[in-house]
Amino acid sequence: MSDTHTVVLVEGASDKSAIEALAGRHGRNLAAEGISLVAMGGATNIGTYVGRFGPAGHGLRLAGLCDAGEEGDFRRSLERAGLGCDLGRSDLEALGFFVCVADLEDELIRALGTAAVERVVDAEGELSSFRTLQRQPAWRGSATHDQLRRFMGSGSGRKIRYSGLLVAALDLDRVPRPLDLLLAHLSGSRSR
């Protein structure tokens, strides 16, 4: 990390995959720009990583992406690190931390629409598996959006694989707000 000046803290590998895919679609190589993406293995680890890379650690510029349910963990850790008090959503964004409405999969499915997501699932040869999930009593009658979110979260490595595929299928003018704002924020890192 000797060439790194910015660390982007994300909950998991699927978030990292999505950011890498979006940066690639914009012709950017984040590592070459001195930006390191760190999958923390869950939002509850944010304090450890802010301590390691932030003001009390390596003193690097921090940014991040989290789910709405983990926003409080991120807020408290940033406050403990001395990066603000009583941080609201706009304060988090000013620091470079962006919140997904439910989670990244929710954001991507809404941006693409369920029909487009089903086409991606079909292209991966998993449409019959998705149809099987739809017929399960627990999911029968649920919205297709919710069924797709569940499908993405089930199966080994599926979330990681689909996050990049869904980003690849996006029109660049329909990128979910948190991803779009994060990448724009990281553009400011280029000049540092």
Side-chain angles (χ1 to χ4, degrees):
M1 286 204 153
S2 60
D3 294 334
T4 299
H5 56 72
T6 300
V7 173
V8 181
L9 303 173
V10 297
E11 293 182 44
S14 63
D15 303 305
K16 182 179 178 192
S17 176
I19 295 165
E20 289 169 339
L22 183 59
R25 290 202 56 205
H26 283 282
R28 294 182 61 186
N29 178 336
L30 297 179
E33 294 176 30
I35 300 167
S36 179
L37 301 175
V38 176
M40 301 181 298
T44 58
N45 296 321
I46 182 70
T48 299
Y49 286 91
V50 168
R52 180 179 304 157
F53 298 115
H58 294 291
L60 301 173
R61 181 176 182 235
L62 300 175
L65 187 70
C66 70
D67 300 343
E70 283 74 32
E71 182 177 359
D73 291 331
F74 273 59
R75 180 181 293 120
R76 285 185 296 278
S77 292
L78 294 170
E79 288 172 355
R80 277 194 297 275
L83 296 171
C85 298
D86 298 320
L87 297 173
R89 178 83 49 99
S90 61
D91 300 314
L92 289 175
E93 291 182 355
L95 289 171
F97 288 83
F98 303 93
V99 180
C100 295
V101 169
D103 56 30
L104 183 58
E105 292 73 29
D106 173 63
E107 294 276 1
L108 291 169
I109 293 166
R110 276 188 291 110
L112 278 166
T114 58
V117 175
E118 284 190 36
R119 286 192 294 276
V120 172
V121 170
D122 190 25
E124 289 297 298
E126 291 196 297
L127 192 58
S128 64
S129 295
F130 175 61
R131 296 292 183 237
T132 299
L133 178 138
Q134 289 182 302
R135 289 190 300 271
Q136 292 175 356
W139 291 100
R140 197 177 310 133
S142 296
T144 304
H145 176 98
D146 296 334
Q147 293 168 338
L148 284 164
R149 276 186 67 212
R150 173 65 182 134
F151 180 75
M152 298 294 162
S154 65
S156 179
R158 190 176 277 158
K159 222 174 167 180
I160 298 165
R161 184 167 40 105
Y162 276 103
S163 65
L165 292 170
L166 296 180
V167 167
L170 278 173
D171 289 332
L172 287 177
D173 62 346
R174 295 197 41 89
V175 173
R177 183 179 185 278
L179 277 177
D180 195 40
L181 290 175
L182 176 62
L183 200 61
H185 179 80
L186 296 176
S187 292
S189 298
R190 289 180 177 190
S191 60
R192 293 174 191 250

